[in-house]
Amino acid sequence: MATMQWIGIIMLLAACIFPLSVEGIVRHYKFNVVMKNATRLCSTKPIVTVNGKFPGPTIYAREDDTVLVKVVNHVKYNVSIHWHGVRQLRTGWADGPAYITQCPIQPGQVYVYNFTLTGQRGTLWYHAHILWLRATVHGALVILPKLGVPYPFPRPHMEQVILLSEWWKSDTEAVINEALKSGLAPNVSDAHTINGHPGPVKNCASQGGFNLQVQPGNTYLLRIINAALNEELFFKVAGHKLTVVEVDAAYTKPFTTDTIVIAPGQTTNVLLKANHAAGKYLVAASPFMDAPIAVDNITATATLHYAGSLSSTITTLTSLPPKNATPIATTFTDSLRSLNSKKYPARVPTTVDHSLFFTVSLGVNPCATCLNGSRVVAAINNVTFVMPKISLLQAHFFNISGVFTDDFPGKPPVVYDFTGAKQPTNFRTTRGTRLYRLAYNSTVQLVLQDTGMITPENHPIHLHGFNFFVVGKGLGNFNPKKDTKKFNLVDPVERNTVGVPSGGWTAIRFRADNPGVWFMHCHLEIHTTWGLKMAFVVDNGKGPNESLLPPPSDLPKC
């Protein structure tokens, strides 16, 4: 039986079996992190997996459910798992980024992630948040609405998770270690994948791709996740339109397109109507990069296969956007709007307590052991983040001094023509474990400004612990007098990961209503490795309901 049919049956059974409860129910999962041999591109290598699967198993829950995931580390690497997009209200200990909210789970050790899905529904995902293990340790987290609560769009006949990723023939830890040793950029991946499979590619035409079986006339909800380490992707289905209804587990005003663009860390739900009588149609994921930076040019392919069509039927192909098709990407992101209905309002902060301006840039620092005597780094406001030796959340909760300072700059140290042709000649950055402190329930406006340092580039920035509203974006330098007047404070899209356009800026707003320490970083894994990251520390409010819970007894030790 096809995967989608199983999912449909499971969801129907779940609706019948699980009792209707205001508090939700407790869902138990066990993740054994184990090595497993995997063959792709006609070569085999051992990879780190959850329960021996690539991608990992999908977690299903409902809004207001509590999820307990027992993670057992059977591999030689330290491990931690991040539940990407889960708000983690007062449960920062379960957020997962190593050395930010927890020490990693060491080989042979166990940790139970315990969190409640409060006020969230839609498609999120999980992934390793240490080293480059995210390459193969990732999977979907599907949050269904409460029982009896319909989707705010036509109910699909079936649902299907579509996980987009990258594949290296080499060991990914060896790839990043070699890059760090040399001080240069790492090798790009050898292929992209759709649900773990590249599809037929040059020099390995025999490998099959993912096959999506559909019935004519039915509507399908595709839950699309970009789990790639370093690449934004275009996604298309030959001959079919896609109706976008949700991004990052927040409903949107529906709009129809033939191409979506999705950055690493982002999720997009689309409705696909199987409105052809028969046949096979190409499903494709290809890279988007509008800067002079090397990418993996291999397109991942899968097949949309109508029931009753012969396997020998010729697949209908589709034209793919050029990798630098900025207008297509811009049109897509400009079309995204919050649903902003009575039931799902867009609660955009209208007043601002903290007005922050963060430059996002690359840099070059001295390195005596590197190839050219220097290494490429990355920075926010010229600060290259230094990872601590114990978790920042522990240092905050237990008031341990010397681990971090709370003096992260709210604006760049030097103001210049950030996106102009004439860039500073000094590419050096400062280094430090510096956080920005926020009072509970204070409101934040953050303008993220790309720069031309070394090269402009699109940066997908992910904020842990919060959703935010994307109130504005543009090319060139942000102009507070002119650009602020154009902000959308009515129905801006709500996200947890947003692209800062190449040579441009993005403005977001959020309310700091979640006490703890919350990581913010570029979701291009190489940029995070190079130091393009920082964290907010949000103080407790009044009383226990506005305070961080104490750490669990099994919190891993460093």
Side-chain angles (χ1 to χ4, degrees):
M1 189 180 289
T3 306
M4 287 173 60
Q5 289 173 297
W6 277 118
I7 291 171
I9 290 167
I10 290 166
M11 287 170 64
L12 286 170
L13 286 172
C16 299
I17 295 168
F18 296 134
L20 186 60
S21 166
V22 175
E23 297 297 322
I25 67 166
V26 179
R27 313 254 179 180
H28 293 267
Y29 284 87
K30 186 176 181 183
F31 279 11
N32 285 305
V33 180
V34 295
M35 300 301 295
K36 176 90 173 186
N37 280 339
T39 302
R40 302 290 187 278
L41 307 178
C42 294
S43 69
T44 303
K45 68 169 185 176
I47 60 171
V48 183
T49 68
V50 172
N51 298 347
K53 298 179 183 297
F54 169 71
T58 298
I59 284 185
Y60 285 95
R62 288 194 183 277
E63 180 181 347
D64 288 346
D65 284 353
T66 294
V67 178
L68 271 66
V69 186
K70 182 178 182 180
V71 177
V72 187
N73 184 3
H74 297 280
V75 300
K76 65 180 180 180
Y77 303 105
N78 286 346
V79 167
S80 75
I81 305 288
H82 170 49
W83 314 94
H84 187 114
V86 173
R87 286 290 313 275
Q88 298 291 359
L89 290 167
R90 303 170 54 234
T91 55
W93 309 105
D95 191 40
Y99 302 106
I100 305 298
T101 59
Q102 66 168 92
C103 295
I105 308 164
Q106 296 177 31
Q109 298 299 305
V110 179
Y111 181 43
V112 177
Y113 289 93
N114 181 348
F115 53 90
T116 300
L117 300 165
T118 305
Q120 291 187 274
R121 81 296 302 162
T123 304
L124 296 173
W125 64 301
Y126 64 84
H127 59 81
H129 213 304
I130 187 169
L131 308 171
W132 272 29
L133 299 183
R134 172 159 74 88
T136 55
V137 179
H138 59 251
L141 170 54
V142 173
I143 310 170
L144 299 168
K146 295 177 190 177
L147 278 171
V149 177
Y151 294 128
F153 48 80
R155 184 178 178 181
H157 294 87
M158 287 286 182
E159 306 190 1
Q160 175 66 52
V161 168
I162 303 286
L163 259 159
L164 311 178
S165 190
E166 290 178 271
W167 184 267
W168 279 259
K169 284 187 177 181
S170 307
D171 173 33
T172 46
E173 293 309 307
V175 170
I176 184 54
N177 289 339
E178 180 58 35
L180 291 174
K181 192 174 163 187
S182 70
L184 302 176
N187 292 338
V188 299
S189 54
D190 296 295
H192 297 103
T193 60
I194 299 175
N195 285 353
H197 300 280
V201 296
K202 189 179 177 183
N203 301 325
C204 189
S206 61
Q207 67 184 359
F210 178 70
N211 202 20
L212 182 57
Q213 293 272 355
V214 297
Q215 293 284 346
N218 282 2
T219 298
Y220 296 84
L221 181 68
L222 306 184
R223 299 177 177 271
I224 306 166
I225 301 164
N226 186 349
L229 257 60
N230 295 311
E231 300 199 353
E232 297 196 64
L233 296 166
F234 290 116
F235 179 86
K236 293 186 75 171
V237 179
H240 293 73
K241 296 286 188 183
L242 306 171
T243 302
V244 178
V245 292
E246 177 205 301
V247 294
D248 292 2
Y251 294 133
T252 63
K253 289 185 171 70
F255 71 94
T256 301
T257 179
D258 62 1
T259 307
I260 75 162
V261 65
I262 184 167
Q266 293 181 334
T267 70
T268 304
N269 280 11
V270 300
L271 294 174
L272 178 145
K273 183 81 183 260
N275 51 10
H276 293 267
K280 290 161 59 182
Y281 298 84
L282 192 75
V283 180
S286 62
F288 166 51
M289 172 57 75
D290 57 357
I293 291 171
V295 294
D296 173 0
N297 281 315
I298 305 296
T299 297
T301 58
T303 306
L304 187 78
H305 191 143
Y306 278 76
S309 303
L310 298 174
S311 57
S312 58
T313 305
I314 295 173
T315 302
T316 301
L317 304 180
T318 184
S319 60
L320 293 167
K323 70 178 180 184
N324 63 349
T326 308
I328 292 175
T330 302
T331 298
F332 179 84
T333 52
D334 286 351
S335 301
L336 294 168
R337 293 280 186 277
S338 281
L339 188 58
N340 194 24
S341 64
K342 190 174 180 181
K343 190 174 175 71
Y344 303 103
R347 295 189 174 94
V348 189
T350 53
T351 59
V352 174
D353 298 318
H354 297 264
S355 187
L356 306 178
F357 185 85
F358 286 3
T359 54
V360 180
S361 58
L362 303 180
V364 179
N365 282 350
C367 171
T369 59
C370 296
L371 276 180
N372 302 322
S374 62
R375 74 162 68 251
V376 179
V377 294
I380 299 175
N381 278 353
N382 210 48
V383 179
T384 295
F385 191 84
V386 176
M387 293 295 275
K389 298 290 191 287
I390 69 164
S391 89
L392 297 175
L393 190 59
Q394 285 171 276
H396 166 60
F397 186 84
F398 293 109
N399 203 21
I400 304 169
S401 61
V403 178
F404 67 85
T405 58
D406 60 1
D407 60 350
F408 190 89
K411 59 181 189 294
V414 178
V415 176
Y416 63 97
D417 183 0
F418 299 115
T419 56
K422 191 176 180 183
Q423 293 289 307
T425 53
N426 181 5
F427 286 173
R428 287 187 69 164
T429 67
T430 61
R431 302 174 76 250
T433 311
R434 302 167 70 181
L435 277 58
Y436 192 94
R437 189 173 292 274
L438 297 167
Y440 182 84
N441 222 31
S442 59
T443 54
V444 180
Q445 177 177 294
L446 170 56
V447 176
L448 296 156
Q449 173 74 61
D450 186 34
T451 78
M453 292 277 275
I454 302 183
T455 180
E457 189 174 351
N458 193 321
H459 298 273
I461 302 293
H462 172 47
L463 175 61
H464 292 225
F466 301 95
N467 279 3
F468 51 75
F469 292 96
V470 185
V471 296
K473 74 184 186 76
L475 295 178
N477 298 334
F478 174 70
N479 183 323
K481 288 182 180 174
K482 291 181 181 176
D483 293 327
T484 308
K485 292 175 184 173
K486 302 176 199 165
F487 281 179
N488 176 7
L489 302 180
V490 177
D491 62 350
V493 68
E494 186 177 352
R495 306 210 73 138
N496 62 57
T497 306
V498 68
V500 180
S502 181
W505 56 271
T506 294
I508 66 172
R509 286 190 182 185
F510 66 96
R511 182 177 295 278
D513 57 359
N514 195 4
V517 174
W518 303 108
F519 207 21
M520 190 180 81
H521 60 97
C522 183
H523 225 271
L524 301 178
E525 201 64 29
I526 184 55
H527 289 178
T528 297
T529 304
W530 283 343
L532 209 166
K533 48 196 174 187
M534 59 82 66
F536 292 99
V537 54
V538 180
D539 291 324
N540 286 339
K542 297 173 183 174
N545 289 338
E546 296 181 359
S547 300
L548 177 65
L549 291 165
S553 58
D554 65 339
L555 187 72
K557 293 177 172 57
C558 285

